Amino acid sequence: MQILKRYRWFLLLVMIFLIILGFQKSIAFDAIKITGDSLLSMLMLLPPILIFVGLLDTWISQETIMKYLGDESRFLSVILIFLLGSIAAGPLYVAFPIALLLLEKGVRTQLVVFFLGVWVVAKLPIILYETVALGLVFTVIHISLGLVFFYYLGFYIEKKVKKLPENLSIE
Amino acid sequence: MISGIVLYSIALVLIGVSFIKDRKRTFQALKKAFMVFKNLLPEILTIMLFIGLSLAILTPEKISVIIGEQSGVLSVIGATVIGSLALIPSFIVFPLGATLLENGAGYPQVAALVSSLMAIGVISYPLEKKMFGTTFALTRNIGALVFSIIFTIIIWVVM
């Protein structure tokens, strides 16, 4: 029952898929192919990222993290978070485990929101794509507005959030 | 594919170094990684299947027709809705944006689509909520919507 509840949305989509398979075979086959491709690229990214996160969690102490990402070194912490967010590649769900690790290590919520914001607007490989496809002016406005916006959104969310949900790494 | 091989190689090297230094800690780290993966699997599989279904039904060509045909505020709203719901990899998004422009859509529509696509995640919301809690996930996504709207308005005025 527990398993059924955890997978309810997935099962709903499987049902939709089966209905489509009954009516529109070619769309259903496309869906299988695209799902397979995204599963593959997820498996190329997420497990190693989770291993990095796990190793960082056990090897790097809270004190070390806070030395660089704490409030005492405000300027440095913003720069480091920016670099961390912009060198990375991959969809947003890959950034979530990293963001969660930062929160668990005591990094303030404002910086974590900023990290997700950088990930969303200013990933380096993406910037090149964007400039080529949509032009420099478009890209510069997108990135600079995004950085400022998510920097300040972080303060707002930090004020509203009380505590983290239960630990995900326990059974 | 290549980035995957690089990531896995780095992960293996780090596991090796960690193992030589301290076996127990290494197992701890790997166990944590595995548990997080296991706990997030239902949401991740849902996201994957949703990507497959939505991109099979709503092909880039169809998106182009939907956004390109209408004009003005209505198509901006349409682009924002598609962008919030869809999960399209960036290497498809930007060529799609360029195609939209060629087919007669305006910069505001493309701005709405691109910015909402990257910042708002309705489909990954259950995952975000599970990891960070409702307040965090909800406020971040609503904030992302506000960002997308402001950005679209600025592009509308500037370009």
Side-chain angles (χ1 to χ4, degrees):
Chain A
M1 223 42 223
Q2 191 62 31
I3 290 240
L4 222 60
K5 189 171 173 257
R6 287 184 64 202
Y7 283 90
R8 61 189 184 282
W9 294 112
F10 181 69
L11 293 173
L12 179 73
L13 285 182
V14 170
M15 260 148 51
I16 294 175
F17 169 75
L18 289 176
I19 294 170
I20 294 174
L21 185 68
F23 291 95
Q24 286 271 0
K25 280 224 159 46
S26 69
I27 290 188
F29 288 141
D30 280 351
I32 294 180
K33 195 187 163 294
I34 300 168
T35 306
D37 286 348
S38 1
L39 269 176
L40 195 67
S41 47
M42 183 275 288
L43 285 174
M44 286 283 119
L45 270 175
L46 195 60
I49 296 281
L50 289 176
I51 290 173
F52 294 148
V53 167
L55 286 172
L56 277 172
D57 188 42
T58 40
W59 282 107
I60 316 269
S61 70
Q62 179 150 14
E63 291 74 53
T64 316
I65 297 244
M66 290 315 279
K67 202 172 119 194
Y68 297 104
L69 299 176
D71 266 348
E72 268 104 87
S73 45
R74 182 68 190 158
F75 183 71
L76 179 69
S77 67
V78 173
I79 299 292
L80 286 176
I81 285 288
F82 175 78
L83 290 175
L84 189 64
S86 60
I87 53 164
L92 192 57
Y93 67 81
V94 175
F96 288 159
I98 304 172
L100 191 62
L101 173 77
L102 294 173
L103 281 175
E104 283 172 353
K105 288 284 180 189
V107 176
R108 61 185 291 186
T109 306
Q110 185 263 332
L111 276 180
V112 175
V113 174
F114 181 58
F115 165 71
L116 292 175
V118 176
W119 190 289
V120 154
V121 293
K123 281 177 297 177
L124 278 179
I126 304 296
I127 293 177
L128 286 177
Y129 267 127
E130 188 169 349
T131 314
V132 171
L134 303 174
L136 190 62
V137 178
F138 185 96
T139 310
V140 168
I141 297 177
H142 187 202
I143 293 171
S144 42
L145 181 72
L147 291 180
V148 174
F149 187 90
F150 285 103
Y151 185 86
Y152 287 103
L153 182 69
F155 287 109
Y156 179 69
I157 292 182
E158 185 176 275
K159 251 195 263 171
K160 288 189 75 173
V161 173
K162 301 284 182 302
K163 64 174 178 56
L164 280 175
E166 56 186 302
N167 197 332
L168 275 174
S169 56
I170 44 178
E171 228 156 337
Chain B
M1 199 68 188
I2 293 167
S3 63
I5 294 169
V6 172
L7 279 175
Y8 270 97
S9 313
I10 300 173
L12 279 177
V13 170
L14 288 178
I15 291 173
V17 173
S18 169
F19 190 78
I20 291 166
K21 281 188 139 184
D22 190 332
R23 280 185 189 201
K24 219 179 132 210
R25 275 194 174 191
T26 310
F27 283 125
Q28 240 175 36
L30 291 179
K31 190 172 174 237
K32 181 182 160 110
F34 177 75
M35 287 311 301
V36 173
F37 188 68
K38 200 188 123 195
N39 282 329
L40 298 182
L41 201 59
E43 283 78 10
I44 290 172
L45 286 179
T46 309
I47 292 175
M48 297 299 126
L49 188 54
F50 184 86
I51 295 178
L53 281 172
S54 59
L55 284 187
I57 298 167
L58 211 63
T59 56
E61 295 82 47
K62 283 187 195 150
I63 295 179
S64 164
V65 169
I66 293 172
I67 295 176
E69 266 179 359
Q70 299 153 339
S71 62
V73 180
L74 210 61
S75 59
V76 165
I77 294 173
T80 308
V81 172
I82 293 177
S84 313
L85 284 172
L87 271 163
I88 305 175
S90 339
F91 61 87
I92 299 182
V93 175
F94 295 123
L96 173 63
T99 315
L100 285 174
L101 289 176
E102 278 166 30
N103 292 354
Y107 270 99
Q109 285 79 11
V110 175
L113 181 73
V114 168
S115 58
S116 58
L117 207 49
M118 295 173 79
I120 309 171
V122 172
I123 300 310
S124 57
Y125 176 75
L127 182 70
E128 193 170 350
K129 186 178 133 185
K130 192 171 184 177
M131 296 180 88
F132 304 101
T134 309
T135 316
F136 184 106
L138 194 63
T139 319
R140 197 200 64 81
N141 278 288
I142 292 174
L145 177 63
V146 174
F147 160 67
S148 175
I149 293 170
I150 297 175
F151 174 59
T152 305
I153 293 172
I154 292 181
I155 290 294
W156 208 324
V157 174
V158 172
M159 297 186 80

